[in-house]
Amino acid sequence: MRTLILSALLLGSSALSSTAAGPDAVELAGLYYYAEQKQEDRLAAETNRLRLKYPDFVVPVDVYAPTARQMDEGVLWALYEKNDFVGIDAEIGRKRVESPEWSPSEDFSGKLARRKQRVEMTAATARKDWMGVIEAAGTLDPSSETEVDLVWMLLDAYAETGARDALTGAYRGLLFREGDKRLPDAQILTTLQKSTRDFSSEEVRKAMRLVATSPALQAGLQPVELDLTRKDVAGFNADEKRQTPVAEGEVAVLRTTAEKDGRLEDLSLLGWYDLKLKAPESAERWFKAALAKRRDEENAKGFYLSLAAQNRQEEAYAVAQDYIEEFSDDPEFLMNALSLRFSRPDQPDADVRTVTAYSNAILSTANADHAEILAWYAYNARQYEAARAWFGKSLDWESAPVRVKGLALSLLRLGEKKDYAALEAEYRDVYPEIWTEIKVAVAPKGEKRSVAVEMPTAAAAAPGGTGYLAHFKAKRFGACIKDISAMEARGAASADAMLIKGWCHLELGRLAEARNAFETALGNARTQQDAAYGAALALLRGRLTDDAEAMVSMYPLSAKRDREVRAEIYWQRARSAFDHKRYRRVLDALNARASLVAEPADLSQLRGWSYYHLGDRGQAQAVFARLNMHLYDPAAARGLAVSSTR
């Protein structure tokens, strides 16, 4: 009452008369509550109190109406539209302080819960936190959910995490509803299109036959059928063992569509399809059309192969030269494409760019055959120092008589008699038939080639070093992975290479592949600790918190890394516990984390709200006050306001 009088003195007598005119919604809340609870004695007492305060007060006629007691929720709805959930919690807390028996309407509470779910799922989807999507979905039921886009997010999450049974159940829940729960045709079509990613063509077509009950829906399924044809063609292209082509009737529809629409993906699909069917003329046409739309490494490879299959070597070589930078990401392919200039004596000189690219590709792959080709090219160009170096490199990688012969000839032309004698002593009994030929061989004739063959040193390789390490340092993570995968195919990938492969996959957000690479590197004592650290980070990014803790428990890390990983583990546990309203667990996780590292402001806010929800307003107020002292933050200010109110 004293506060009311003070306000009147400050604002003027008009404010006092306005305020004294009658009780507001907050003061009436108790009246409505006692009426709803049928506590007539308390209702009478509250009525008398209000009449003393407001002489003209009349009991509202709707005091016994079941919905009359709801307080004005305008502020809550305004915050709802802004997705300001912290503000909503603060406002609800404020209202309950003013009127302890008040609670938000069922309409608002239900819509708020759904809005929170949508925001959490959308945010988790945007950052590709698939476990977060599944966790936020909670008890969402695909068989009855009306907001179908939420189920589509869940489908993506199940697909990305490999939850096959859950994925199948969710699709069934959407597609096979009956009666008034059946989805509109447009949503059925979209769901079926998504299913082409996750199921075989046969399974999707079976589902289509079951759900396409109307002529309109059957007609609308044509795009889905086309997607299935694309899937079939892509599967044929990717399976090296498969030789039986896709039914020509299916492919004909795709060909017609590609001719009409010129979709880049379709042009490329058909190019590789015809190339595998040994129809290079047709493949050339598709690849050429694709390259006319966009410069692209993979389609350029297809174009090159189509020309080479028709024995149009010069045209094929011109494509390789044009795409030399792009092909450098695939050194195996680049070597084969460029070798024409180096393997035949009737070819024109290679230019500096080509010689450098060929040398780099050889060093990246440690390919003895191509090192030998380049060595003979240098020898016939009378560049004997380079020939000696490249023959030596090819011998290091794989011994062969022709390589020993080339090295011996290079030493003879250089007058290196001592080195020649040592080489002969080493290989005479191994390759006895070559030495007579060597001693009667004639030196190369003709003009010396103008372009120098680079020596096989680190300086001759890609910027920053050779092979996958150069790609990794330059942040060309895709190229790095390709190089190491090629080494794996040859059985030559070391534990160090697999460790680098794990980091590359992690940088690209490919968590499962990163984890596999790191786990391979765990088997080597030298790389074990680094691999355990990388695997733990991959698991944490996938929200597999318990697995990450098991990893660092099994493979101890350095003190610094252990603190980093465990701090993230406790943060994830605190966040998950808060989302599930397990506030005591939030505090336990935050306390464990605080024993390792300093607590940032956002986690202190989590701590403050946890104390608040546990009813410990004193602790909550202390946390928010401390935050507000160091740095103003609207969320901390709201927390301070709510926890300070009695």
Side-chain angles (χ1 to χ4, degrees):
M1 191 65 182
R2 280 180 295 190
T3 303
L4 181 63
I5 295 170
L6 178 61
S7 299
L9 290 172
L10 291 172
L11 298 174
S13 60
S14 62
L16 179 61
S17 61
S18 173
T19 306
D24 61 14
V26 175
E27 287 185 291
L28 286 172
L31 199 70
Y32 283 110
Y33 176 76
Y34 298 137
E36 182 182 296
Q37 300 298 315
K38 296 183 172 54
Q39 297 178 13
E40 299 298 334
D41 53 343
R42 290 194 175 188
L43 177 62
E46 181 66 10
T47 301
N48 290 333
R49 185 186 71 80
L50 291 172
R51 281 175 176 162
L52 285 172
K53 187 174 181 180
Y54 305 102
D56 297 330
F57 172 69
V58 177
V59 176
V61 294
D62 63 352
V63 71
Y64 288 102
T67 60
R69 204 175 55 84
Q70 288 298 336
M71 193 179 291
D72 178 27
E73 295 180 339
V75 175
L76 292 177
W77 285 108
L79 294 168
Y80 171 90
E81 292 301 326
K82 298 176 183 177
N83 292 332
D84 185 356
F85 303 130
V86 175
I88 289 172
D89 288 341
E91 179 66 14
I92 290 174
R94 187 187 67 77
K95 287 180 179 293
R96 282 177 173 163
V97 168
E98 295 173 350
S99 182
E101 64 280 353
W102 175 84
S103 61
S105 65
E106 289 186 12
D107 178 53
F108 180 81
S109 298
K111 289 179 179 176
L112 176 63
R114 172 45 60 96
R115 177 64 70 93
K116 283 183 177 179
Q117 183 180 50
R118 172 173 289 280
V119 169
E120 288 176 12
M121 290 182 69
T122 302
T125 298
R127 63 178 182 267
K128 297 185 178 179
D129 175 10
W130 304 117
M131 293 303 297
V133 174
I134 294 170
E135 186 176 307
T139 56
L140 188 148
D141 184 358
S143 64
S144 59
E145 179 56 54
T146 56
E147 296 180 44
V148 177
D149 63 316
L150 295 179
V151 187
W152 290 338
M153 291 184 208
L154 189 58
L155 292 176
D156 293 339
Y158 285 148
E160 292 292 337
T161 55
R164 191 71 182 176
D165 291 343
L167 180 69
T168 302
Y171 272 112
R172 287 183 179 278
L174 285 177
L175 292 173
F176 300 119
R177 299 182 185 183
E178 296 181 353
D180 58 357
K181 292 184 179 179
R182 179 182 170 86
L183 293 181
D185 287 357
Q187 292 181 351
I188 289 176
L189 288 172
T190 301
T191 304
L192 285 169
Q193 282 179 317
K194 289 181 77 68
S195 74
T196 62
R197 171 198 65 187
D198 301 321
F199 298 96
S200 69
S201 298
E202 182 181 352
E203 289 172 310
V204 177
R205 287 191 174 102
K206 182 178 179 181
M208 286 165 60
R209 288 193 294 270
L210 292 172
V211 301
T213 56
S214 69
L217 184 54
Q218 290 170 3
L221 286 173
Q222 290 178 358
V224 181
E225 185 62 52
L226 195 58
D227 282 346
L228 292 176
T229 300
R230 292 182 178 111
K231 184 183 179 79
D232 292 340
V233 171
F236 174 81
N237 293 347
D239 189 347
E240 294 181 3
K241 296 180 180 180
R242 180 178 169 185
Q243 296 302 318
T244 305
V246 179
E248 187 51 41
E250 276 188 62
V251 182
V253 176
L254 183 59
R255 292 185 193 277
T256 302
T257 302
E259 292 277 10
K260 179 183 176 183
D261 299 337
R263 185 172 176 263
L264 182 62
E265 293 79 0
D266 291 344
L267 299 172
S268 182
L269 267 180
L270 290 169
W272 290 109
Y273 182 77
D274 284 341
L275 193 60
K276 185 174 179 179
L277 291 181
K278 295 182 171 53
E281 297 89 350
S282 178
E284 175 195 349
R285 183 170 63 87
W286 294 118
F287 286 126
K288 191 172 183 178
L291 290 172
K293 286 187 166 293
R294 189 179 72 198
R295 187 177 177 88
D296 176 80
E297 176 188 345
E298 290 303 311
N299 288 324
K301 287 180 182 178
F303 191 37
Y304 170 91
L305 294 171
S306 301
L307 294 168
Q310 298 175 66
N311 204 29
R312 291 156 60 184
Q313 300 295 346
E314 285 299 324
E315 293 175 74
Y317 178 77
V319 173
Q321 275 201 311
D322 186 26
Y323 283 84
I324 205 166
E325 297 298 331
E326 290 90 341
F327 289 175
S328 64
D329 287 342
D330 187 350
E332 197 81 40
F333 185 91
L334 183 62
M335 282 189 309
N336 293 320
L338 295 180
S339 62
L340 174 70
R341 272 291 181 272
F342 302 91
S343 59
R344 285 167 40 180
D346 60 339
Q347 292 293 305
D349 286 0
D351 60 23
V352 175
R353 181 165 164 262
T354 304
V355 171
T356 301
Y358 190 50
S359 303
N360 290 347
I362 294 168
L363 289 170
S364 293
T365 58
N367 189 292
D369 293 333
H370 283 277
E372 179 194 323
I373 290 172
L374 186 57
W376 283 116
Y377 180 83
Y379 179 81
N380 290 319
R382 293 189 288 164
Q383 298 178 29
Y384 300 125
E385 283 288 0
R388 172 189 184 177
W390 281 105
F391 278 127
K393 187 62 72 176
S394 67
L395 266 176
D396 288 343
W397 292 332
E398 186 179 346
S399 180
V402 70
R403 292 164 194 162
V404 176
K405 180 180 178 179
L407 180 55
L409 289 171
S410 301
L411 292 170
L412 283 176
R413 304 301 167 233
L414 290 167
E416 301 283 356
K417 295 181 180 179
K418 186 177 179 180
D419 289 343
Y420 174 85
L423 184 70
E424 184 177 8
E426 183 180 355
Y427 284 99
R428 173 170 288 283
D429 293 336
V430 181
Y431 304 123
E433 69 282 358
I434 65 174
W435 301 100
T436 303
E437 299 173 12
I438 291 170
K439 289 175 181 177
V440 299
V442 178
K445 297 178 181 179
E447 295 183 5
K448 187 175 182 179
R449 295 185 188 269
S450 58
V451 176
V453 175
E454 298 180 16
M455 302 291 281
T457 62
T466 63
Y468 68 86
L469 280 175
H471 290 311
F472 181 70
K473 289 176 182 177
K475 299 185 178 181
R476 298 188 294 266
F477 302 119
C480 178
I481 291 167
K482 280 186 179 180
D483 282 3
I484 298 172
S485 297
M487 293 168 66
E488 284 183 273
R490 299 194 303 271
S494 64
D496 297 281
M498 295 307 295
L499 184 64
I500 295 296
K501 187 180 184 184
W503 290 119
C504 289
H505 277 306
L506 194 61
E507 288 290 341
L508 295 172
R510 302 170 183 170
L511 302 184
E513 292 90 340
R515 181 179 174 184
N516 290 338
F518 285 132
E519 287 179 351
T520 302
L522 280 172
N524 187 293
R526 188 181 68 258
T527 58
Q528 187 175 89
Q529 192 177 100
D530 287 336
Y533 174 60
L537 293 182
L539 291 164
L540 286 172
R541 284 202 196 172
R543 301 286 292 276
L544 298 173
T545 315
D546 291 341
D547 290 347
E549 186 173 50
M551 176 65 66
V552 296
S553 298
M554 191 179 301
Y555 301 98
L557 306 179
S558 67
K560 181 179 178 181
R561 285 180 170 179
D562 188 78
R563 279 197 305 273
E564 177 191 347
V565 171
R566 291 189 185 279
E568 180 62 20
I569 287 171
Y570 291 131
W571 150 239
Q572 289 194 7
R573 285 186 173 153
R575 180 71 256 185
S576 177
F578 190 87
D579 291 341
H580 288 88
K581 300 183 182 351
R582 297 170 180 168
Y583 302 114
R584 181 55 60 191
R585 291 190 182 183
V586 175
L587 295 175
D588 291 341
L590 291 180
N591 289 337
R593 187 184 186 281
S595 69
L596 299 173
V597 293
E599 187 170 280
D602 58 338
L603 293 194
S604 290
Q605 286 190 27
L606 211 63
R607 179 184 293 277
W609 285 113
S610 296
Y611 280 128
Y612 174 83
H613 288 300
L614 287 170
D616 193 343
R617 295 198 177 194
Q619 287 278 25
Q621 182 180 356
V623 172
F624 289 126
R626 187 170 63 251
L627 283 171
N628 212 39
M629 260 189 342
H630 293 293
L631 178 69
Y632 176 77
D633 178 84
R638 280 195 296 271
L640 181 60
V642 172
S643 59
S644 301
T645 305
R646 288 285 185 269

